[in-house]
Amino acid sequence: MRSLYLLVLLAMPWPATAQSSCGGQTQLDANFCAKEQWEAVDRDLNRLWKQIKPVADARGNGDALLAEQRAWLKARDATCDKELSGGGSAAPMFYWTCMKEQTVARNQQLQSWR
C-alpha cells in the first residue's frame, strides 16, 4: 500500500517554480507543504549525521550509532507508513507530517552525540 501512495506522490505534478507550497489553500498545497517541511528537517538530519558519525567513529562507537540509526529509520518508516493506510487526499500530508515529527525528534537525539 505504501508503494502505491509513494507512486502517486511521485506522479503528482510538482510546482513549476521553487516557491513554497505552504501559502496555498488546497489539500494538494498542504500535502506539498508538509513534504517541504520534512525535507528541511531531513537536510538537518543529514548535516548532523555528517558531523556526528566521524566523532562517534573516533570514540569507537560509530558502529553502535550506525546500528541505532538503521533501527530508527525502520521504526520511523513503520510508524509513518500507518498514516497512508487510511487513504484520502490528506493521507500524504499526514504521512509527511509524521516523517517531519519523527525526524525532528531524531535530530534532537543526535545532538547528544556531539
Side-chain angles (χ1 to χ4, degrees), residues 22-38:
C22 294
Q25 297 181 9
T26 67
Q27 185 60 57
L28 186 60
D29 290 331
N31 294 347
F32 280 117
C33 178
K35 184 175 187 286
E36 287 173 13
Q37 291 174 346
W38 169 73

mmCIF file with all atom_site columns, all heavy atoms in Angstrom, residues 22-38:
data_model
loop_
_atom_site.group_PDB
_atom_site.id
_atom_site.type_symbol
_atom_site.label_atom_id
_atom_site.label_alt_id
_atom_site.label_comp_id
_atom_site.label_asym_id
_atom_site.label_entity_id
_atom_site.label_seq_id
_atom_site.pdbx_PDB_ins_code
_atom_site.Cartn_x
_atom_site.Cartn_y
_atom_site.Cartn_z
_atom_site.occupancy
_atom_site.B_iso_or_equiv
_atom_site.pdbx_formal_charge
_atom_site.auth_seq_id
_atom_site.auth_comp_id
_atom_site.auth_asym_id
_atom_site.auth_atom_id
_atom_site.pdbx_PDB_model_num
ATOM 1   N N   . CYS A 1 22 ? 3.528  26.272 0.975  1.00 0.00 ? 22 CYS A N   1
ATOM 2   C CA  . CYS A 1 22 ? 2.959  26.462 2.308  1.00 0.00 ? 22 CYS A CA  1
ATOM 3   C C   . CYS A 1 22 ? 2.001  27.643 2.408  1.00 0.00 ? 22 CYS A C   1
ATOM 4   O O   . CYS A 1 22 ? 1.363  27.811 3.439  1.00 0.00 ? 22 CYS A O   1
ATOM 5   C CB  . CYS A 1 22 ? 4.077  26.568 3.338  1.00 0.00 ? 22 CYS A CB  1
ATOM 6   S SG  . CYS A 1 22 ? 4.999  25.018 3.486  1.00 0.00 ? 22 CYS A SG  1
ATOM 7   N N   . GLY A 1 23 ? 1.855  28.417 1.370  1.00 0.00 ? 23 GLY A N   1
ATOM 8   C CA  . GLY A 1 23 ? 0.897  29.503 1.409  1.00 0.00 ? 23 GLY A CA  1
ATOM 9   C C   . GLY A 1 23 ? -0.395 29.163 0.687  1.00 0.00 ? 23 GLY A C   1
ATOM 10  O O   . GLY A 1 23 ? -1.325 29.956 0.659  1.00 0.00 ? 23 GLY A O   1
ATOM 11  N N   . GLY A 1 24 ? -0.448 27.967 0.108  1.00 0.00 ? 24 GLY A N   1
ATOM 12  C CA  . GLY A 1 24 ? -1.615 27.577 -0.673 1.00 0.00 ? 24 GLY A CA  1
ATOM 13  C C   . GLY A 1 24 ? -2.819 27.243 0.185  1.00 0.00 ? 24 GLY A C   1
ATOM 14  O O   . GLY A 1 24 ? -2.739 27.137 1.404  1.00 0.00 ? 24 GLY A O   1
ATOM 15  N N   . GLN A 1 25 ? -3.932 27.059 -0.489 1.00 0.00 ? 25 GLN A N   1
ATOM 16  C CA  . GLN A 1 25 ? -5.178 26.809 0.219  1.00 0.00 ? 25 GLN A CA  1
ATOM 17  C C   . GLN A 1 25 ? -5.819 25.483 -0.148 1.00 0.00 ? 25 GLN A C   1
ATOM 18  O O   . GLN A 1 25 ? -6.900 25.168 0.345  1.00 0.00 ? 25 GLN A O   1
ATOM 19  C CB  . GLN A 1 25 ? -6.148 27.959 -0.047 1.00 0.00 ? 25 GLN A CB  1
ATOM 20  C CG  . GLN A 1 25 ? -5.633 29.269 0.480  1.00 0.00 ? 25 GLN A CG  1
ATOM 21  C CD  . GLN A 1 25 ? -6.611 30.404 0.243  1.00 0.00 ? 25 GLN A CD  1
ATOM 22  O OE1 . GLN A 1 25 ? -7.737 30.199 -0.159 1.00 0.00 ? 25 GLN A OE1 1
ATOM 23  N NE2 . GLN A 1 25 ? -6.161 31.619 0.516  1.00 0.00 ? 25 GLN A NE2 1
ATOM 24  N N   . THR A 1 26 ? -5.196 24.705 -0.996 1.00 0.00 ? 26 THR A N   1
ATOM 25  C CA  . THR A 1 26 ? -5.772 23.424 -1.390 1.00 0.00 ? 26 THR A CA  1
ATOM 26  C C   . THR A 1 26 ? -5.116 22.289 -0.604 1.00 0.00 ? 26 THR A C   1
ATOM 27  O O   . THR A 1 26 ? -4.048 22.459 -0.011 1.00 0.00 ? 26 THR A O   1
ATOM 28  C CB  . THR A 1 26 ? -5.572 23.165 -2.893 1.00 0.00 ? 26 THR A CB  1
ATOM 29  O OG1 . THR A 1 26 ? -4.170 22.980 -3.148 1.00 0.00 ? 26 THR A OG1 1
ATOM 30  C CG2 . THR A 1 26 ? -6.113 24.323 -3.727 1.00 0.00 ? 26 THR A CG2 1
ATOM 31  N N   . GLN A 1 27 ? -5.750 21.138 -0.653 1.00 0.00 ? 27 GLN A N   1
ATOM 32  C CA  . GLN A 1 27 ? -5.169 19.970 0.001  1.00 0.00 ? 27 GLN A CA  1
ATOM 33  C C   . GLN A 1 27 ? -3.853 19.591 -0.654 1.00 0.00 ? 27 GLN A C   1
ATOM 34  O O   . GLN A 1 27 ? -2.904 19.205 0.021  1.00 0.00 ? 27 GLN A O   1
ATOM 35  C CB  . GLN A 1 27 ? -6.136 18.773 -0.034 1.00 0.00 ? 27 GLN A CB  1
ATOM 36  C CG  . GLN A 1 27 ? -5.624 17.562 0.737  1.00 0.00 ? 27 GLN A CG  1
ATOM 37  C CD  . GLN A 1 27 ? -5.385 17.877 2.205  1.00 0.00 ? 27 GLN A CD  1
ATOM 38  O OE1 . GLN A 1 27 ? -6.282 18.318 2.898  1.00 0.00 ? 27 GLN A OE1 1
ATOM 39  N NE2 . GLN A 1 27 ? -4.163 17.661 2.679  1.00 0.00 ? 27 GLN A NE2 1
ATOM 40  N N   . LEU A 1 28 ? -3.782 19.738 -1.954 1.00 0.00 ? 28 LEU A N   1
ATOM 41  C CA  . LEU A 1 28 ? -2.533 19.456 -2.659 1.00 0.00 ? 28 LEU A CA  1
ATOM 42  C C   . LEU A 1 28 ? -1.419 20.364 -2.145 1.00 0.00 ? 28 LEU A C   1
ATOM 43  O O   . LEU A 1 28 ? -0.294 19.911 -1.912 1.00 0.00 ? 28 LEU A O   1
ATOM 44  C CB  . LEU A 1 28 ? -2.721 19.628 -4.173 1.00 0.00 ? 28 LEU A CB  1
ATOM 45  C CG  . LEU A 1 28 ? -1.537 19.241 -5.047 1.00 0.00 ? 28 LEU A CG  1
ATOM 46  C CD1 . LEU A 1 28 ? -1.163 17.775 -4.857 1.00 0.00 ? 28 LEU A CD1 1
ATOM 47  C CD2 . LEU A 1 28 ? -1.856 19.522 -6.506 1.00 0.00 ? 28 LEU A CD2 1
ATOM 48  N N   . ASP A 1 29 ? -1.734 21.642 -1.947 1.00 0.00 ? 29 ASP A N   1
ATOM 49  C CA  . ASP A 1 29 ? -0.752 22.573 -1.383 1.00 0.00 ? 29 ASP A CA  1
ATOM 50  C C   . ASP A 1 29 ? -0.317 22.122 0.006  1.00 0.00 ? 29 ASP A C   1
ATOM 51  O O   . ASP A 1 29 ? 0.866  22.161 0.341  1.00 0.00 ? 29 ASP A O   1
ATOM 52  C CB  . ASP A 1 29 ? -1.323 23.994 -1.291 1.00 0.00 ? 29 ASP A CB  1
ATOM 53  C CG  . ASP A 1 29 ? -1.518 24.642 -2.643 1.00 0.00 ? 29 ASP A CG  1
ATOM 54  O OD1 . ASP A 1 29 ? -0.771 24.318 -3.590 1.00 0.00 ? 29 ASP A OD1 1
ATOM 55  O OD2 . ASP A 1 29 ? -2.428 25.480 -2.757 1.00 0.00 ? 29 ASP A OD2 1
ATOM 56  N N   . ALA A 1 30 ? -1.277 21.705 0.824  1.00 0.00 ? 30 ALA A N   1
ATOM 57  C CA  . ALA A 1 30 ? -0.952 21.250 2.178  1.00 0.00 ? 30 ALA A CA  1
ATOM 58  C C   . ALA A 1 30 ? -0.083 20.008 2.133  1.00 0.00 ? 30 ALA A C   1
ATOM 59  O O   . ALA A 1 30 ? 0.848  19.866 2.939  1.00 0.00 ? 30 ALA A O   1
ATOM 60  C CB  . ALA A 1 30 ? -2.232 20.980 2.963  1.00 0.00 ? 30 ALA A CB  1
ATOM 61  N N   . ASN A 1 31 ? -0.338 19.114 1.181  1.00 0.00 ? 31 ASN A N   1
ATOM 62  C CA  . ASN A 1 31 ? 0.487  17.907 1.038  1.00 0.00 ? 31 ASN A CA  1
ATOM 63  C C   . ASN A 1 31 ? 1.922  18.283 0.677  1.00 0.00 ? 31 ASN A C   1
ATOM 64  O O   . ASN A 1 31 ? 2.878  17.773 1.271  1.00 0.00 ? 31 ASN A O   1
ATOM 65  C CB  . ASN A 1 31 ? -0.099 16.988 -0.033 1.00 0.00 ? 31 ASN A CB  1
ATOM 66  C CG  . ASN A 1 31 ? -1.446 16.415 0.341  1.00 0.00 ? 31 ASN A CG  1
ATOM 67  O OD1 . ASN A 1 31 ? -1.883 16.480 1.484  1.00 0.00 ? 31 ASN A OD1 1
ATOM 68  N ND2 . ASN A 1 31 ? -2.133 15.864 -0.646 1.00 0.00 ? 31 ASN A ND2 1
ATOM 69  N N   . PHE A 1 32 ? 2.064  19.172 -0.312 1.00 0.00 ? 32 PHE A N   1
ATOM 70  C CA  . PHE A 1 32 ? 3.402  19.602 -0.726 1.00 0.00 ? 32 PHE A CA  1
ATOM 71  C C   . PHE A 1 32 ? 4.108  20.369 0.390  1.00 0.00 ? 32 PHE A C   1
ATOM 72  O O   . PHE A 1 32 ? 5.316  20.231 0.582  1.00 0.00 ? 32 PHE A O   1
ATOM 73  C CB  . PHE A 1 32 ? 3.345  20.448 -1.998 1.00 0.00 ? 32 PHE A CB  1
ATOM 74  C CG  . PHE A 1 32 ? 3.212  19.643 -3.246 1.00 0.00 ? 32 PHE A CG  1
ATOM 75  C CD1 . PHE A 1 32 ? 2.092  19.776 -4.048 1.00 0.00 ? 32 PHE A CD1 1
ATOM 76  C CD2 . PHE A 1 32 ? 4.191  18.742 -3.629 1.00 0.00 ? 32 PHE A CD2 1
ATOM 77  C CE1 . PHE A 1 32 ? 1.954  19.040 -5.216 1.00 0.00 ? 32 PHE A CE1 1
ATOM 78  C CE2 . PHE A 1 32 ? 4.068  17.997 -4.786 1.00 0.00 ? 32 PHE A CE2 1
ATOM 79  C CZ  . PHE A 1 32 ? 2.943  18.138 -5.576 1.00 0.00 ? 32 PHE A CZ  1
ATOM 80  N N   . CYS A 1 33 ? 3.367  21.175 1.111  1.00 0.00 ? 33 CYS A N   1
ATOM 81  C CA  . CYS A 1 33 ? 3.945  21.940 2.217  1.00 0.00 ? 33 CYS A CA  1
ATOM 82  C C   . CYS A 1 33 ? 4.515  20.999 3.277  1.00 0.00 ? 33 CYS A C   1
ATOM 83  O O   . CYS A 1 33 ? 5.632  21.200 3.752  1.00 0.00 ? 33 CYS A O   1
ATOM 84  C CB  . CYS A 1 33 ? 2.895  22.861 2.826  1.00 0.00 ? 33 CYS A CB  1
ATOM 85  S SG  . CYS A 1 33 ? 3.493  23.816 4.241  1.00 0.00 ? 33 CYS A SG  1
ATOM 86  N N   . ALA A 1 34 ? 3.748  19.987 3.637  1.00 0.00 ? 34 ALA A N   1
ATOM 87  C CA  . ALA A 1 34 ? 4.215  19.027 4.641  1.00 0.00 ? 34 ALA A CA  1
ATOM 88  C C   . ALA A 1 34 ? 5.484  18.332 4.157  1.00 0.00 ? 34 ALA A C   1
ATOM 89  O O   . ALA A 1 34 ? 6.422  18.114 4.933  1.00 0.00 ? 34 ALA A O   1
ATOM 90  C CB  . ALA A 1 34 ? 3.122  18.007 4.945  1.00 0.00 ? 34 ALA A CB  1
ATOM 91  N N   . LYS A 1 35 ? 5.528  17.999 2.876  1.00 0.00 ? 35 LYS A N   1
ATOM 92  C CA  . LYS A 1 35 ? 6.728  17.353 2.321  1.00 0.00 ? 35 LYS A CA  1
ATOM 93  C C   . LYS A 1 35 ? 7.918  18.311 2.360  1.00 0.00 ? 35 LYS A C   1
ATOM 94  O O   . LYS A 1 35 ? 9.032  17.926 2.732  1.00 0.00 ? 35 LYS A O   1
ATOM 95  C CB  . LYS A 1 35 ? 6.485  16.876 0.894  1.00 0.00 ? 35 LYS A CB  1
ATOM 96  C CG  . LYS A 1 35 ? 7.676  16.113 0.312  1.00 0.00 ? 35 LYS A CG  1
ATOM 97  C CD  . LYS A 1 35 ? 7.343  15.554 -1.052 1.00 0.00 ? 35 LYS A CD  1
ATOM 98  C CE  . LYS A 1 35 ? 8.438  14.663 -1.575 1.00 0.00 ? 35 LYS A CE  1
ATOM 99  N NZ  . LYS A 1 35 ? 9.618  15.370 -2.020 1.00 0.00 ? 35 LYS A NZ  1
ATOM 100 N N   . GLU A 1 36 ? 7.700  19.571 1.990  1.00 0.00 ? 36 GLU A N   1
ATOM 101 C CA  . GLU A 1 36 ? 8.775  20.564 2.039  1.00 0.00 ? 36 GLU A CA  1
ATOM 102 C C   . GLU A 1 36 ? 9.320  20.725 3.457  1.00 0.00 ? 36 GLU A C   1
ATOM 103 O O   . GLU A 1 36 ? 10.536 20.841 3.658  1.00 0.00 ? 36 GLU A O   1
ATOM 104 C CB  . GLU A 1 36 ? 8.274  21.923 1.549  1.00 0.00 ? 36 GLU A CB  1
ATOM 105 C CG  . GLU A 1 36 ? 8.043  22.004 0.066  1.00 0.00 ? 36 GLU A CG  1
ATOM 106 C CD  . GLU A 1 36 ? 7.395  23.317 -0.356 1.00 0.00 ? 36 GLU A CD  1
ATOM 107 O OE1 . GLU A 1 36 ? 7.345  24.268 0.456  1.00 0.00 ? 36 GLU A OE1 1
ATOM 108 O OE2 . GLU A 1 36 ? 6.934  23.396 -1.509 1.00 0.00 ? 36 GLU A OE2 1
ATOM 109 N N   . GLN A 1 37 ? 8.427  20.729 4.433  1.00 0.00 ? 37 GLN A N   1
ATOM 110 C CA  . GLN A 1 37 ? 8.856  20.868 5.826  1.00 0.00 ? 37 GLN A CA  1
ATOM 111 C C   . GLN A 1 37 ? 9.672  19.661 6.258  1.00 0.00 ? 37 GLN A C   1
ATOM 112 O O   . GLN A 1 37 ? 10.666 19.802 6.970  1.00 0.00 ? 37 GLN A O   1
ATOM 113 C CB  . GLN A 1 37 ? 7.650  21.084 6.731  1.00 0.00 ? 37 GLN A CB  1
ATOM 114 C CG  . GLN A 1 37 ? 7.002  22.423 6.515  1.00 0.00 ? 37 GLN A CG  1
ATOM 115 C CD  . GLN A 1 37 ? 5.721  22.603 7.303  1.00 0.00 ? 37 GLN A CD  1
ATOM 116 O OE1 . GLN A 1 37 ? 5.150  21.659 7.837  1.00 0.00 ? 37 GLN A OE1 1
ATOM 117 N NE2 . GLN A 1 37 ? 5.255  23.845 7.380  1.00 0.00 ? 37 GLN A NE2 1
ATOM 118 N N   . TRP A 1 38 ? 9.255  18.458 5.837  1.00 0.00 ? 38 TRP A N   1
ATOM 119 C CA  . TRP A 1 38 ? 10.045 17.269 6.168  1.00 0.00 ? 38 TRP A CA  1
ATOM 120 C C   . TRP A 1 38 ? 11.416 17.333 5.487  1.00 0.00 ? 38 TRP A C   1
ATOM 121 O O   . TRP A 1 38 ? 12.432 17.012 6.105  1.00 0.00 ? 38 TRP A O   1
ATOM 122 C CB  . TRP A 1 38 ? 9.336  15.983 5.751  1.00 0.00 ? 38 TRP A CB  1
ATOM 123 C CG  . TRP A 1 38 ? 10.268 14.821 5.868  1.00 0.00 ? 38 TRP A CG  1
ATOM 124 C CD1 . TRP A 1 38 ? 10.696 14.228 7.028  1.00 0.00 ? 38 TRP A CD1 1
ATOM 125 C CD2 . TRP A 1 38 ? 10.952 14.159 4.817  1.00 0.00 ? 38 TRP A CD2 1
ATOM 126 N NE1 . TRP A 1 38 ? 11.595 13.232 6.738  1.00 0.00 ? 38 TRP A NE1 1
ATOM 127 C CE2 . TRP A 1 38 ? 11.767 13.175 5.383  1.00 0.00 ? 38 TRP A CE2 1
ATOM 128 C CE3 . TRP A 1 38 ? 10.947 14.314 3.428  1.00 0.00 ? 38 TRP A CE3 1
ATOM 129 C CZ2 . TRP A 1 38 ? 12.569 12.325 4.621  1.00 0.00 ? 38 TRP A CZ2 1
ATOM 130 C CZ3 . TRP A 1 38 ? 11.743 13.475 2.673  1.00 0.00 ? 38 TRP A CZ3 1
ATOM 131 C CH2 . TRP A 1 38 ? 12.543 12.500 3.272  1.00 0.00 ? 38 TRP A CH2 1
#
